[in-house]
Amino acid sequence: MTLSAGSRLGPYEILAPLGAGGMGEVYRARDTRLGREVAIKVLPAALSTDPERLKRFEREARSASSLNHPNIVTIYDIGSADSVSYIAMELVEGESLRAALSEGALPTKRLLQIGAQVAEGLGKAHAAGIVHRDLKPENVMVTEDGLVKILDFGLAKLTQPDSSGSGRTQAPTVSGATEEGVILGTVGYMSPEQATGGSIDFRSDQFSFGSILYEMATGRPAFVRGSAPETLTAIIREEPQPIATIDSRVPTQLRWIVERCLAKGPKSRYASTEDLARDLATLRDHLSEATSAIEAVVPVAPPSRRRRWIPAAIAAAILVAFGIAGWRLRQRDYFWKNPLAGARFTRFTDWQGSELGAAISSDGKFVAFVSDRGGSFDAWVGQVGGGEFLNLTKGQAPSLAGRRTRDLGFSGDGAQVSLPRMQKDGKLVDSWLVPTMGGLPRPFLKNAVEPVWSPDRTRLLFHSVDPGDPIFIADHNGGSPREIFKEKPGIHNHFPTWSPDGRYVYFVHGRPPNNSDLWRIASAGGAAERLTHHDSRVTYPAMLDDRTLIYLATREDGSGSGLYAMDVERRIPHAMTSGVEEYQSVSASADGRRLAATVANPLRNLWMAPITDHVVDESGVSHFELPTRSAAAPRFAPDYLLYLSSKGGTNGLWKHKDGSELELWKGSDGTVAQAPTISPDGTQICFPVEREGRAHLYLMASDGTGARPIAETVGVGGAPSWSPDGKWIAVVASDGKATPLLEVPVDGGAPVRLVDGVDAVISNPVWSPDGRFILYSEAKRGSAVRIRGVSPEGQAFSVPECDVPGGGDRYRFLPDGKSVVVMQGAFRRINFWLLDLSTGRLRQLTNLKPEFDMKSFDVSPDGKQILFDRFRENSDIVLIDLPPS
């Protein structure tokens, strides 16, 4: 209802309207009892006439009224008169933040003055267990003297009916359908968990606040699109345009705060809103330092023509250093300082192949690592600045790579290198020592691995390979080991390390290969405490100083392992790198000033080999140039090429035509799990998309529009294949322990089961060019992989058995349908063969160098070329020298 000036609402005399919104109309009024002016909010009729919702509203409003904080508007009274429900609250003279944003982005100083106050108010409410649920610029008022007030605390929860019967609702505030602008203004500040109807807590407010910070910094909303559904989709799936690309003057620290608030996963946001407020306040108070200090990072080693990651890594390091260099704040109250600020990156190795598990001596002068430079994996050591490398094991330790432990380490005095001794099956047995300058290895610790000497060199820390991976401390001069931590079998402990003062032991605890976190226990014994909650694989902890712990953890987007740092007192993890690099190990010297890290640089792209009458060697293949990085699983269409690429992070679907590329399916929308298939006319694409551990078939137009799932009840276990008539898609399903071969109708309908796949593993269905049958692979327990055939009606098709090296699971038809190109072989020793389906004759087509692995290929429409992906693990050791504290 609309109230006129001079009318009464209980003890309040209406003076003038102030505004209206989804929560009701607001008026300036005078409290006739106390003679003060207040703001009266008249609640919507739907709320006023629902007794249960009104009761809940009063309960929430009273809870919100208990918040006594200068940045939260005070609620004075709750009442009703003449069937009108209202609340009386503090009258704030000033303008809304929405009005302040009408002219665009705010100056950084004013942004921080406002943002810090909003965060302080939020922190107060969250500490009291109250969540706003509808934070947006319209609900933030700024007075003429700069004081910030948050409106409508705890009320947004009540604007939707409670359908659960629980007396509670998580529904966000949404206005009527006719108020499209208001809908966008509200929906645009929801968190992903609100947008998907999930449960929310205080971290949902942090996301909404991050959207506000983004708008204050850029002058544009982070997620608002042309309609409410499009906006919700953007909130759930998309990232806002990077602030730096809109305004490079915005301080790096502020951009990091915004990015952390806007993390899709609540666990990646702030563990406490008070910490968020503290970071903003610190940045506000030290803004001049943040914007004026610049430190350069200069690479020492010359750039390698082969290495493409070095420029990106150096650029990322420069961005990090530029962003936070120059901060010198008090140790316990600082805004987080990236330890890599001002660091110097130097390439330590530059070999073909993989260097893994870099360990640095306590004095920072030697680096030990594992490398396959000589073919098998050996332990190597090199002196920093020396340029010479020594092979310590010389082919006697072929199982060194691939362990989930710290492969190598140094003794306390740096004179010896520790390495695990393994059985032929790769199981850990015990630790051995080999002199750093070369010599014969000798047994050291029986039934134990990963020894780490204490800082004072008097004690030894290690873990056993017994069930539960118990962690022990032993006196280096003798005495029985003392167990300090043990868990049940299946929950493992790895990477134990000391604190600089020897008081604590840090280690990784969890169930491999994922779901492991950092834990800490006193070296004297006691209860262990969990430090991280990444819910992903954490590895290689190392201490830089008595407060700063570094480690590796899998990034939330699945793009590999990043380098993290944590203040062990505040327990807040920070990503130290931009996501460009994938780290595989990290180790620190005793003083924490030098790091040795393994950085992955996998080589993966597309190559072409001609199909000829003779065997083609390496000189006859050519690189297929693509603009994108890391291409795989190619598929030919009539006039374009389709492939997978990790350019966007996880596997996405890309199209290459006329020298240009187009991303059709973003990896953030769900990872493309297998190679796609293309309709005969090239107008449609079918591909498996993996979400939450299960893959489903999707269909979309070749321009990337109209993506939709088909056969939604079918879990996909392999790459699909389109029938020549365009009506069916053959695919291997994932059905418990069975892998049935199905025909899925393109235009809808129930899938048809062709092969049960109960007694054997079925894979790789491929239609013949004439559509008369489907080839597929069948692998029975204890027998070789064989190529089989089945007609669209389910009748078996006889394929001659032949001796195909390595089995038979990857093949493509030549256009005549009489023979297939088969990709066969073991790891790094894969080649192409031609199989005649009528005679079973096999002829080798290629003889390629055994340096790369291959996963997928396709044959050109004219049958003259093979297009294949080549992949090789490749990594290097990088030294990172940190500046003085």
Side-chain angles (χ1 to χ4, degrees), residues 586-815:
V586 66
S587 174
S589 59
D591 62 4
R593 295 297 91 203
R594 174 173 287 164
L595 310 180
T598 305
V599 181
N601 179 32
L603 307 175
R604 186 169 193 164
N605 220 311
L606 303 184
W607 293 71
M608 296 190 75
I611 298 177
T612 65
D613 294 333
H614 63 275
V615 178
V616 175
D617 61 17
E618 192 67 34
S619 64
V621 300
S622 58
H623 183 239
F624 189 89
E625 292 293 341
L626 282 173
T628 190
R629 175 180 62 88
S630 185
R635 290 292 183 265
F636 281 107
D639 63 345
Y640 63 89
L641 182 69
L642 203 63
Y643 54 91
L644 307 184
S645 175
S646 60
K647 182 178 181 180
T650 55
N651 272 355
L653 193 59
W654 291 73
K655 177 180 179 180
H656 182 261
K657 182 178 181 180
D658 299 330
S660 62
E661 62 177 356
L662 173 67
E663 185 177 19
L664 301 178
W665 179 270
K666 295 180 180 294
S668 59
D669 295 331
T671 298
V672 182
Q674 297 283 343
T677 185
I678 304 170
S679 64
D681 61 5
T683 61
Q684 297 186 86
I685 302 168
C686 180
F687 54 104
V689 174
E690 183 174 335
R691 283 200 178 101
E692 299 179 353
R694 186 175 172 86
H696 297 278
L697 280 183
Y698 272 68
L699 198 67
M700 72 178 176
S702 61
D703 62 359
T705 61
R708 59 183 176 87
I710 61 173
E712 295 186 58
T713 60
V714 176
V716 180
S721 178
W722 213 304
S723 65
D725 63 8
K727 296 180 179 180
W728 298 88
I729 293 172
V731 67
V732 173
S734 177
D735 184 16
K737 294 183 179 180
T739 56
L741 175 59
L742 307 179
E743 278 184 311
V744 177
V746 175
D747 296 331
V752 178
R753 183 173 293 219
L754 300 178
V755 181
D756 284 335
V758 176
D759 299 324
V761 177
I762 307 300
S763 62
N764 197 47
V766 180
W767 284 88
S768 63
D770 58 11
R772 292 191 303 109
F773 59 91
I774 303 168
L775 289 186
Y776 64 93
S777 296
E778 180 183 82
K780 291 186 177 181
R781 183 183 297 273
S783 62
V785 178
R786 294 297 181 188
I787 299 176
R788 304 298 186 193
V790 64
S791 72
E793 293 75 35
Q795 299 298 316
F797 174 84
S798 178
V799 178
E801 292 188 1
C802 59
D803 184 16
V804 179
D809 61 349
R810 290 165 288 183
Y811 34 84
R812 288 288 178 271
F813 276 96
L814 289 186

Side-chain angles (χ1 to χ4, degrees), residues 609-617 620 814 821 832-834 843-847 863-866:
I611 298 177
T612 65
D613 294 333
H614 63 275
V615 178
V616 175
D617 61 17
L814 289 186
V821 176
F832 295 100
W833 303 70
L834 190 66
R843 178 170 67 87
Q844 187 170 356
L845 296 177
T846 63
N847 182 22
K864 296 181 179 180
Q865 297 281 343
I866 303 171

Side-chain angles (χ1 to χ4, degrees), residues 369-449:
F369 54 94
V370 174
S371 175
D372 62 350
R373 185 182 190 183
S376 62
F377 280 96
D378 281 303
W380 292 72
V381 67
Q383 185 173 3
V384 175
E388 297 292 332
F389 296 93
L390 180 65
N391 188 335
L392 297 178
T393 52
K394 299 179 181 178
Q396 301 303 309
S399 300
L400 274 176
R403 302 303 312 177
R404 297 196 179 280
T405 62
R406 184 182 284 109
D407 291 313
L408 306 178
F410 281 93
S411 61
D413 58 6
Q416 300 179 89
V417 174
S418 65
L419 65 154
R421 194 75 163 183
M422 304 179 186
Q423 296 175 341
K424 291 183 178 179
D425 60 4
K427 291 184 178 180
L428 292 166
V429 178
D430 47 31
S431 288
W432 287 53
L433 292 178
V434 59
T436 301
M437 304 311 294
L440 294 176
R442 63 177 178 85
F444 176 54
L445 284 175
K446 191 72 175 175
N447 197 36
V449 290

Side-chain angles (χ1 to χ4, degrees), residues 466-469 485 487-494 507-512 516:
D466 291 333
D469 286 329
F485 186 82
E487 260 288 359
K488 59 185 178 181
I491 308 296
H492 297 280
N493 307 305
H494 290 304
F507 61 97
V508 172
H509 174 66
R511 190 184 301 274
S516 57

Side-chain angles (χ1 to χ4, degrees), residues 144-401:
E144 292 183 357
D145 57 0
L147 182 64
V148 171
K149 295 280 187 177
I150 307 174
L151 310 180
D152 284 352
F153 235 113
L155 306 184
K157 182 179 180 181
L158 308 169
T159 61
Q160 294 288 325
D162 183 2
S163 60
S164 67
S166 65
R168 297 183 300 170
T169 176
Q170 302 294 343
T173 300
V174 178
S175 298
T178 59
E179 301 177 58
E180 183 173 341
V182 177
I183 291 177
L184 291 179
T186 299
V187 175
Y189 301 93
M190 288 183 184
S191 64
E193 52 267 37
Q194 279 181 296
T196 56
S199 61
I200 65 172
D201 58 18
F202 67 92
R203 293 170 295 187
S204 177
D205 280 352
Q206 291 181 9
F207 189 95
S208 301
F209 179 50
S211 298
I212 294 174
L213 287 175
Y214 182 96
E215 190 167 351
M216 287 196 289
T218 64
R220 62 183 73 174
F223 299 104
V224 172
R225 303 294 187 265
S227 66
E230 290 174 315
T231 298
L232 292 176
T233 299
I235 290 172
I236 296 169
R237 296 183 177 178
E238 299 176 11
E239 298 295 337
Q241 180 179 347
I243 294 176
T245 65
I246 301 173
D247 188 349
S248 60
R249 297 170 299 177
V250 177
T252 304
Q253 299 91 335
L254 177 57
R255 299 201 302 266
W256 285 352
I257 293 173
V258 175
E259 289 169 5
R260 185 169 183 180
C261 289
L262 293 181
K264 300 298 185 186
K267 289 183 179 180
S268 297
R269 300 171 205 154
Y270 281 87
S272 165
T273 306
E274 292 176 344
D275 290 335
L276 166 59
R278 186 179 302 113
D279 281 355
L280 283 169
T282 304
L283 180 56
R284 176 197 61 199
D285 297 340
H286 297 268
L287 182 59
S288 60
E289 297 175 52
T291 56
S292 63
I294 296 178
E295 295 181 34
V297 177
V298 180
V300 170
S304 167
R305 288 174 292 181
R306 180 177 61 85
R307 293 295 188 261
R308 296 185 176 182
W309 69 270
I310 291 293
I314 297 300
I318 291 174
L319 288 176
V320 171
F322 268 58
I324 61 174
W327 282 66
R328 298 294 182 265
L329 307 180
R330 289 181 299 120
Q331 189 176 23
R332 293 188 175 274
D333 296 320
Y334 65 90
F335 174 83
W336 180 69
K337 180 182 183 297
N338 190 326
L340 292 190
R344 185 180 63 195
F345 290 72
T346 308
R347 187 172 54 253
F348 188 68
T349 63
D350 187 21
W351 301 346
Q352 289 281 354
S354 296
E355 288 85 69
L356 306 170
I360 193 166
S361 60
S362 59
D363 59 9
K365 294 181 179 180
F366 291 91
V367 176
F369 54 94
V370 174
S371 175
D372 62 350
R373 185 182 190 183
S376 62
F377 280 96
D378 281 303
W380 292 72
V381 67
Q383 185 173 3
V384 175
E388 297 292 332
F389 296 93
L390 180 65
N391 188 335
L392 297 178
T393 52
K394 299 179 181 178
Q396 301 303 309
S399 300
L400 274 176

